[in-house]
Amino acid sequence: MALIELAGIERVFHLGDSVVHALTRLDVGIEAGEYVAIMGPSGSGKSTLLNLLGLLDRPDAGIYRLEGRDVTTLTPDEQATVRSRRIGFVFQSFHLVPRLTAAENIALPMMLAGIGAAERAQRVATALKDFGLEKRADHRPDQLSGGQRQRVAIARATVMQPAVLLADEPTGNLDRATGDDVIHLLEALNARGMTLIVVTHDQKIGSRARRQLMMEDGELKFDSARPAAVAG
Amino acid sequence: MRTADILRFARDAATGYPLRTSLSVLAMAIGVAAVVVLTALGDGARRYVVDQFSALGSNLVIVLPGRSATGGFSPANALTTTPRDLTVDDAFALTRLPSVRRVAPLAAGNSEISANGRLREVVVAGTASTYLDIRSFRMAQGSFLPEGDWSRGAPVAVIGSKIKEEIFGSTQAVGELIRLGDRRLRIVGVLRPVGQGLGMNTDEVVFVPAAVAQSLFNTNTLFRILIEARSRGEIEAVKREVTAVLKARHGGEEDITVITQDAVLATFDRLLRALTAAVAGIAAISLAVAGILVMNVMLVAVTQRTGEIGLLKALGARGATIRNAFMAEAAMLSLVGAFTGYGLGLFGAFVLRQLYPVFPAYPPDWAVIAALGTALSTGLLFGIMPARRAARLDPVQALMKH
Ligand SMILES: Nc1ncnc2c1ncn2[C@@H]1O[C@H](COP(=O)(O)OP(=O)(O)OP(=O)(O)O)[C@@H](O)[C@H]1O
Ligand SMILES: [Mg+2]
């Protein structure tokens, strides 16, 4: 059973009179533990797809099964629980809460999930250590470098031990070297079994993934796992 | 999300934006302080009046000569001179009524006292031994007028504290002889200071037996008859019985007015309570304004923190959690504002009391509870809309705003 199964997914935006088909006839399966790069030109629907996978958005048609369960029909609260337990997000612009320290930012998903303070503190300490942020625990985001911010964001995304980590241009706001560090960090997480899906413009980063999905005009143009099947 | 965490999160969010937080706290505080100070003023006025009347004594019923059309009481007719209607015998007849505990006749006039080589104008009150208890006066030295036949007074006098002070200073007054008009009287007692009451300053009054006063002023009428009912519940019975007895004694004519302290008090009480409530209502408008301000502040907060709300949703926050966090923040702004305002209001009332010591400017409990309650409920009420707006934000859209 695949971790993620998309069947006939459509996502249509209406902007006044014009209709934008952000995703059309999308059928993709992703196994647990895979490392997938989603690539394609700007406006091709990469972020839309990632938001859909993260249950931040609902498809207009089609079925999305996560761990065998149809999640498109869940209530918003049930979807929130799935996001809390099974999905981790990493964003291009980090999205740290500016008034909270690194440690508090990392603790946020656990706080939202109702985990007690003692366990939170313990897991935050572990995460800070794992991501080399021990000395930055009490720093607020504006006192951190870009790379450190993204490491805090990754620590936050993984502290609930999700099944899948979704990263939308995680290196987009970072210089080459720092970006590579972040990618290595994500790959290390993948090596330990976490499914990793990265949206990127960067060919070099994309080619590191074991599987590439090429998007164009809302369609899946190429899937390196099935080179023949989806050619147009 | 745990309640404690929601509260801590809301608190950090509020303190994270000090300017807008302190502004809305200030608005709420001013509203509550206004209610507290204004009701303290209004209720202070009420208490002041009630205290003044209560100083007259408890369960008091007063008989005035002459028929008053309205039955009302005004300080003006308390000062008018006596028509020849009430007599000492009238007063004495009332002592036999079952609902009456004590009766004191009261004849009044101005005269000159001379003693210890000094001379001054005084108010002379002719009354009886019962007067002391009816008015709840206390003796500083000696005793009050002796008991005995009301129509034959002993040549004795009791003086108010101010007269004692002015004429005798610190020397002994009891036992001294004074001249009052053409009478020579012996001082048997000095009253403790009491202040204003029944239209005269008791500290400047010389009390003599009613018969002595009447012969001094060459009259046989009384200014008032003071009656103390056996209990509060019997005041109406006293009124009825007194009216009946005096009507019978005056040849069937109802030519007297019976007033009760209760009735007068109740009128003032009602009036001033209404005034206080009105003032509180006006001040409460500022609370509503403060509530609207809290709403605006929270709406700004939602706009300012749209990205954060999107993030919280991405991290698995339910709509209800986000709503609760924003509600908690609005509640905190209102709560802190309300209690700051309460403190400010109490301080304002304290300053008022320092400036005007006779004026008991304490805010009534109901006003404090109403002010705090209104502050909190407007804060919450006006917090609902922004909180729901936050909870309903589309996470994808929200995340793009960062
Ligand atoms: N909320 C929306 N309303 C209307 N159109 C939208 C909305 N979100 C996305 N679109 C449109 O859907 C299409 C796909 O957008 P998407 O953000 O997924 O592109 P992308 O591949 O992530 O591009 P980029 O590389 O620039 O981030 C675009 O044409 C975009 O304009
Ligand atoms: Mg994108």
Side-chain angles (χ1 to χ4, degrees), chain A residues 13-15 20-22 40-49 168-169 199 201, chain B residues 397 400:
Chain A
F13 292 108
H14 300 271
L15 271 178
V20 181
H21 291 270
S42 188
S44 58
K46 306 181 295 292
S47 297
T48 306
L49 174 58
D168 196 347
E169 314 254 13
V199 167
H201 273 126
Chain B
Q397 301 287 326
M400 289 195 314

Side-chain angles (χ1 to χ4, degrees), chain B residues 355-376:
Chain B
L355 294 178
Y356 308 100
V358 295
F359 201 76
Y362 294 93
D365 289 346
W366 63 261
V368 170
I369 292 167
L372 292 179
T374 318
L376 286 186

Side-chain angles (χ1 to χ4, degrees), chain A residues 5 30 156 173:
Chain A
E5 265 185 80
I30 296 173
R156 184 181 63 190
N173 281 5

Side-chain angles (χ1 to χ4, degrees), chain A residues 115-132:
Chain A
I115 293 172
E119 193 187 338
R120 283 196 323 243
Q122 196 207 326
R123 279 162 72 173
V124 166
T126 312
L128 286 167
K129 198 155 135 285
D130 289 350
F131 291 91

Side-chain angles (χ1 to χ4, degrees), chain B residues 293-309:
Chain B
L293 194 91
V294 167
M295 176 167 77
N296 280 310
V297 161
M298 291 313 297
L299 283 175
V300 170
V302 171
T303 313
Q304 234 173 18
R305 302 219 296 267
T306 300
E308 179 186 323
I309 294 163

Side-chain angles (χ1 to χ4, degrees), chain A residues 2-214:
Chain A
L3 176 77
I4 289 168
E5 265 185 80
L6 300 179
I9 293 290
E10 306 266 343
R11 184 70 176 100
V12 182
F13 292 108
H14 300 271
L15 271 178
D17 298 341
S18 66
V19 175
V20 181
H21 291 270
L23 296 175
T24 41
R25 297 190 311 278
L26 205 65
D27 302 290
V28 189
I30 296 173
E31 300 297 322
E34 273 198 78
Y35 176 9
V36 181
I38 303 175
M39 298 192 287
S42 188
S44 58
K46 306 181 295 292
S47 297
T48 306
L49 174 58
L50 209 70
N51 290 335
L52 233 132
L53 292 175
L55 295 179
L56 291 177
D57 200 5
R58 286 170 187 263
D60 296 299
I63 291 176
Y64 170 16
R65 283 200 192 79
L66 181 66
E67 299 178 309
R69 178 159 72 142
D70 182 357
V71 288
T72 43
T73 54
L74 297 181
T75 65
D77 278 359
E78 287 167 336
Q79 291 197 335
T81 308
V82 173
R83 281 200 297 271
S84 165
R85 305 274 162 188
R86 309 308 294 153
I87 295 166
F89 281 101
V90 177
F91 306 94
Q92 176 176 357
S93 53
F94 321 129
H95 272 297
L96 300 178
V97 179
R99 62 176 180 279
L100 300 182
T101 65
E104 288 167 339
N105 266 290
I106 296 172
L108 202 50
M110 293 188 284
M111 198 167 94
L112 291 169
I115 293 172
E119 193 187 338
R120 283 196 323 243
Q122 196 207 326
R123 279 162 72 173
V124 166
T126 312
L128 286 167
K129 198 155 135 285
D130 289 350
F131 291 91
L133 291 162
E134 295 110 310
K135 296 214 180 74
R136 301 282 174 266
D138 296 325
H139 289 217
R140 275 201 296 278
D142 57 5
Q143 300 161 326
L144 297 172
S145 72
Q148 287 166 340
R149 286 184 212 180
Q150 197 58 304
R151 269 189 282 159
V152 171
I154 295 170
R156 184 181 63 190
T158 53
V159 78
M160 291 293 289
Q161 277 143 16
V164 55
L165 189 57
L166 306 173
D168 196 347
E169 314 254 13
T171 60
N173 281 5
L174 302 173
D175 61 50
R176 183 96 243 163
T178 327
D180 285 348
D181 285 349
V182 164
I183 288 295
H184 290 142
L185 203 58
L186 293 173
E187 286 171 355
L189 289 165
N190 173 250
R192 278 186 271 145
M194 192 175 291
T195 312
L196 177 61
I197 302 176
V198 182
V199 167
T200 182
H201 273 126
D202 189 325
Q203 286 296 333
K204 212 169 140 228
I205 290 173
S207 59
R208 293 178 64 94
R210 278 192 298 281
R211 179 177 173 190
Q212 286 84 29
L213 301 179
M214 298 298 296

Side-chain angles (χ1 to χ4, degrees), chain B residues 6-90:
Chain B
I6 289 187
L7 294 180
R8 182 149 2 98
F9 187 81
R11 182 202 63 196
D12 291 348
T15 50
Y17 302 86
L19 184 66
R20 68 170 181 80
T21 297
S22 46
L23 277 179
S24 48
V25 163
L26 186 69
M28 199 50 101
I30 289 172
V32 173
V35 173
V36 170
V37 169
L38 288 176
T39 55
L41 263 177
D43 207 53
R46 185 186 67 82
R47 273 180 224 234
Y48 179 74
V49 170
V50 169
D51 287 352
Q52 289 292 302
F53 275 95
S54 301
L56 293 177
S58 60
N59 302 340
L60 189 65
V61 177
I62 302 171
V63 183
L64 288 71
R67 178 99 178 104
S68 150
T70 59
F73 173 84
S74 80
N77 68 21
L79 294 171
T80 51
T81 49
T82 318
R84 294 188 291 109
D85 273 327
L86 294 171
T87 65
V88 170
D89 288 342
D90 284 340

